[in-house]
Amino acid sequence: MPLHTRRLCVAQLRRVLAARVPAVSSTRSLATSDVRKGEALGMEFRALLRNLVPTPVLVLTALETDGAVRGVTIGSFSSVSAAPPSISFSLKRESRMCRLLENGQSLRFCVNVLGEKQRDVAVVLAQPFLTATEQAAAMQRAGSDFALLDGKVPCVPDALGILVCSDAGSLVAGDHRLFLAQVEQVVRTGSPAGSPLVYLSQEYGSFIPCRDDA
């Protein structure tokens, strides 16, 4: 994705977010009732999404500055464009992976699509405070491992599919940072990990297509 195009996309997103967030005067005091209403809305928002909107379960993998592999489970993933192929995802702003991508410390990374038999991998990499060494050991206990795709980009080799990405632009969105990235390569691994893994109501599961009644 050309640099000027990426900057344009990020600038457009910033304008959209700014338009949706009303400006608050610096002289206006925020009443306790306003705070409570905001907290209640946030709880309702999270509850609805958690219980009614299934999300795909993917793992983002990148290299630390010392060459170690870092992985994190994500659910906030979306395709953005097919021409050129591009995706979006969000990360908590205080997370190690967010800092790696935001500061350009890891210029290429992989988005790994997990299968239903890889629930343990998702659980391991959803733990935010594990070191890279602890992650590697826990991955092996979960029956998986990290590897370097083409000897360069870290991935989960037994994932159902892998997207090799780069050129991540980003912007702040609340307590998260939203990333836009270009897809450089698509890999179908032929993994026997089953159907794609999904997450709903704080549980992992798999996709079952609807069938017409006979």
Side-chain angles (χ1 to χ4, degrees):
M1 183 183 294
L3 182 59
H4 71 277
T5 303
R6 176 166 66 87
R7 285 175 175 168
L8 179 61
C9 292
V10 173
Q12 290 172 334
L13 274 174
R14 284 198 177 102
R15 286 197 293 271
V16 170
L17 288 175
R20 292 182 177 179
V21 179
V24 178
S25 170
S26 59
T27 59
R28 174 179 176 268
S29 61
L30 194 61
T32 302
S33 59
D34 293 335
V35 174
R36 288 174 179 170
K37 288 178 182 178
E39 292 175 348
L41 178 60
M43 292 176 62
E44 292 172 358
F45 174 75
R46 286 190 293 271
L48 187 146
L49 295 184
R50 181 187 301 124
N51 297 308
L52 299 180
V53 182
T55 59
V57 182
L58 307 99
V59 164
L60 189 66
T61 48
L63 287 178
E64 296 264 21
T65 52
D66 61 0
V69 178
R70 163 72 54 181
V72 63
T73 302
I74 61 173
S76 56
F77 171 88
S78 178
S79 62
V80 175
S81 171
S86 54
I87 61 168
S88 69
F89 57 88
S90 64
L91 297 169
K92 288 185 177 180
R93 291 167 60 186
E94 71 272 17
S95 69
R96 174 61 181 164
M97 184 66 79
C98 185
R99 292 194 296 271
L100 281 175
L101 299 184
E102 179 187 358
N103 298 329
Q105 297 174 25
S106 187
L107 299 180
R108 299 179 75 215
F109 53 92
C110 285
V111 175
N112 306 268
V113 183
L114 297 189
E116 61 184 332
K117 298 179 182 178
Q118 295 178 301
R119 174 190 175 278
D120 290 347
V121 173
V123 171
V124 165
L125 298 181
Q127 301 177 57
F129 303 113
L130 295 182
T131 65
T133 301
E134 290 170 336
Q135 279 194 346
M139 283 283 284
Q140 291 184 345
R141 291 195 295 271
S144 187
D145 204 351
F146 295 125
L148 294 180
L149 187 63
D150 297 329
K152 298 177 181 179
V153 190
C155 68
V156 179
D158 53 351
L160 295 180
I162 301 169
L163 301 176
V164 182
C165 303
S166 66
D167 200 23
S170 69
L171 68 156
V172 172
D175 58 358
H176 280 59
R177 181 168 284 273
L178 178 65
F179 289 88
L180 298 172
Q182 180 179 353
V183 177
E184 295 183 348
Q185 184 180 358
V186 177
V187 180
R188 295 289 294 268
T189 64
S191 169
S195 299
L197 186 64
V198 296
Y199 190 73
L200 178 67
S201 298
Q202 298 182 294
E203 293 189 54
Y204 292 96
S206 59
F207 172 73
I208 300 176
C210 295
R211 303 294 186 189
D212 294 333
D213 293 335

